[in-house]
Amino acid sequence: MTQSCDILISGGGIAGLTAAAAFGTAGFKVICVDPAPRITDGNAKGADLRSTAMLQPARALLARAGVWEALAPHAAALQVMRIIDAGGEVAEPRVTKEFDASDISDEPFGWNFPNWLLIRELVARLEALETVDFRPGVGTTRLFTRTGSAKVSLSEGGPVTARLVIAADGRGSPMRTAAGIGVHTKRYGQKAMVFAVTHPVPHDNVSTEIHRTGGPFTLVPLPDRDGMPCSAVVWMDDGRATMDRMALDAQAFEAAASDRSCHHFGPLTLVSDRQVWPIITQHADRLSAERVALIAEAAHVMPPIGAQGLNMSLTDIATLLDLAEARREGLGDAQMLEAYHKARHSDVRMRVQGIDLLNRASQAQAPLARDARAAGLNALYSAAPVRKILMQMGLGMR
């Protein structure tokens, strides 16, 4: 038996769940599916131990989705972005620059949350919405579109007819493939290791990114844990070196991580499991097809630098939501989806290319290249107008 809805969302990660909450809160009838169960306990096996910095524009969308009030008590504010170049022969800071949100705003740059907690609060929001039918453990299998609607087959249950299909189903998006949209992919030979640590020196709501050869080592503030300052860490490096570190016991790993952090916050103590993610850059040729819109990693993937990834995804959702609310009768039609593509495509391409350049610079091994990276950081920071423009662009304000 065929079911019908306004919007079928393929993918129940943070972006897909946020889209379901946002469109459901706006009164659209939504079905959201994902083949994997959602893990909402940070101590459970398989929990997503990464964290996400929600930048200023993201809060407005989370409020529209009815979830910000539940998230706010768990937020760790990001007031300052500190960048350290430690790319000399000795692992110690050569250039340290701080970008303070007070230079451009009365608010912090953003707020950091553990991913498993975001998932927990988003799932709770969907359970409270009569307009949303969330089906974990169910995936999409086939897509058939025509001018007036799309028909999507599911791995369990009958097919669904929808006016709009939102593909939020990851970098290997089945719906993107079914819609015939191609992608361009770059690989760096890097992996990102994510974990959480405590440390004796307070982070003071400063996100710290330390550059040496191989990729940045980033510590992002989290709420205190067991009375100690706590940070989420993303350690990007050569893939083989990363996997070698995964094999270290906790004590040896803590020593290696503390050395890589230049002991900036003192010795680091591991307080979570370690997880590894491949680093690629990828962007779709188009962000829409007949009755289909791509968001999040179905549309764009980039290295975790500057908190751009998920925040771009939330901008995708906000743009699509604005278009849908402006002309509900035209939900999912060619005019709406072409407007979505035009509104997002150039910004996505610019940010993907910018993060690609930053990541390649972070991998620099030759002394001259490392020196050029340090000099570039110093020059960008020293020009106040340029510094403010970069901060505004990072937040998506320009």
Side-chain angles (χ1 to χ4, degrees):
M1 180 177 176
T2 300
Q3 305 164 77
S4 64
C5 62
D6 294 321
I7 301 168
L8 184 285
I9 299 175
S10 176
I14 292 173
L17 295 174
T18 303
F23 280 94
T25 300
F28 294 95
K29 184 179 178 183
V30 177
I31 296 175
C32 178
V33 300
D34 191 286
R38 295 299 86 188
I39 300 174
T40 58
D41 181 350
N43 295 315
K45 184 177 180 181
D48 188 344
L49 301 178
R50 294 172 294 176
S51 70
T52 295
M54 296 290 191
L55 301 180
Q56 283 183 20
R59 188 173 73 174
L61 177 64
L62 294 170
R64 291 173 74 181
V67 76
W68 177 255
E69 186 174 345
L71 287 173
H74 307 286
L78 306 177
Q79 182 63 35
V80 174
M81 301 291 188
R82 178 185 294 140
I83 301 179
I84 297 173
D85 190 283
E89 296 304 316
V90 180
E92 60 184 19
R94 298 192 298 172
V95 178
T96 301
K97 300 297 180 185
E98 294 188 348
F99 297 82
D100 195 320
S102 64
D103 289 344
I104 59 170
S105 173
D106 293 331
E107 294 184 328
F109 284 116
W111 301 267
N112 200 45
F113 301 92
N115 281 11
W116 65 265
L117 187 143
L118 286 168
I119 292 169
R120 184 188 74 189
E121 298 303 330
L122 285 163
V123 169
R125 176 59 180 161
L126 297 192
E127 290 174 347
L129 284 169
E130 295 182 358
T131 50
V132 178
D133 179 1
F134 177 46
R135 304 180 189 178
V138 177
T140 51
T141 58
R142 290 191 298 273
L143 170 71
F144 174 75
T145 66
R146 52 182 181 264
T147 304
S149 65
K151 187 175 183 179
V152 180
S153 298
L154 305 179
S155 61
E156 183 179 311
V160 173
T161 298
R163 297 165 67 195
L164 172 64
V165 175
I166 297 178
D169 43 6
R171 57 187 67 183
S173 172
M175 287 294 97
R176 184 188 64 222
T177 301
I181 301 174
V183 294
H184 294 273
T185 305
K186 291 182 182 179
R187 304 186 186 278
Y188 302 93
Q190 289 172 299
K191 292 184 184 297
M193 185 187 295
V194 297
F195 51 96
V197 296
T198 56
H199 38 80
V201 179
H203 50 59
D204 293 329
N205 293 328
V206 177
S207 178
T208 302
E209 192 172 280
I210 303 168
H211 289 263
R212 282 186 62 77
T213 297
F217 184 99
T218 306
L219 300 104
V220 187
L222 288 174
D224 289 358
R225 181 163 177 160
D226 300 325
M228 293 287 289
C230 185
S231 294
V233 178
V234 181
W235 186 354
M236 290 170 56
D237 204 348
D238 172 78
R240 181 174 297 178
T242 300
M243 296 313 295
D244 287 345
R245 293 187 191 106
M246 280 290 288
L248 295 175
D249 62 34
Q251 186 175 4
F253 179 78
E254 288 170 350
S258 298
D259 288 344
R260 179 59 182 82
S261 72
C262 300
H263 296 266
H264 194 71
F265 291 116
L268 305 179
T269 300
L270 190 65
V271 293
S272 76
D273 290 337
R274 289 163 271 175
Q275 294 178 338
V276 170
W277 304 82
I279 298 299
I280 66 170
T281 289
Q282 181 172 283
H283 63 87
D285 293 339
R286 284 191 55 83
L287 300 186
S288 64
E290 187 176 61
R291 292 288 160 181
V292 177
L294 309 186
I295 68 169
E297 289 200 341
H300 42 74
V301 183
M302 64 190 67
I305 296 174
Q308 292 298 298
L310 184 60
N311 285 279
M312 286 175 57
S313 304
L314 299 186
T315 302
D316 297 340
I317 297 167
T319 303
L320 203 55
L321 180 60
D322 287 343
L323 290 167
E325 289 191 304
R327 43 191 312 276
R328 288 175 179 256
E329 73 287 349
L331 178 68
D333 67 11
Q335 181 180 340
M336 174 186 163
L337 291 174
E338 182 62 23
Y340 170 66
H341 170 77
K342 288 181 178 179
R344 294 294 300 133
H345 191 246
S346 60
D347 181 65
V348 165
R349 291 291 299 272
M350 178 191 72
R351 292 178 188 276
V352 165
Q353 290 169 2
I355 295 298
D356 171 65
L357 289 172
L358 288 174
N359 188 43
R360 292 183 185 280
S362 77
Q363 290 183 281
Q365 297 184 21
L368 284 176
R370 297 199 308 255
D371 291 347
R373 182 183 63 212
L377 171 60
N378 195 52
L380 289 173
Y381 183 86
S382 298
V386 175
R387 183 171 70 249
K388 290 183 178 181
I389 289 172
L390 288 173
M391 287 190 284
Q392 290 167 337
M393 290 181 66
L395 290 179
M397 296 167 62
R398 296 176 70 94

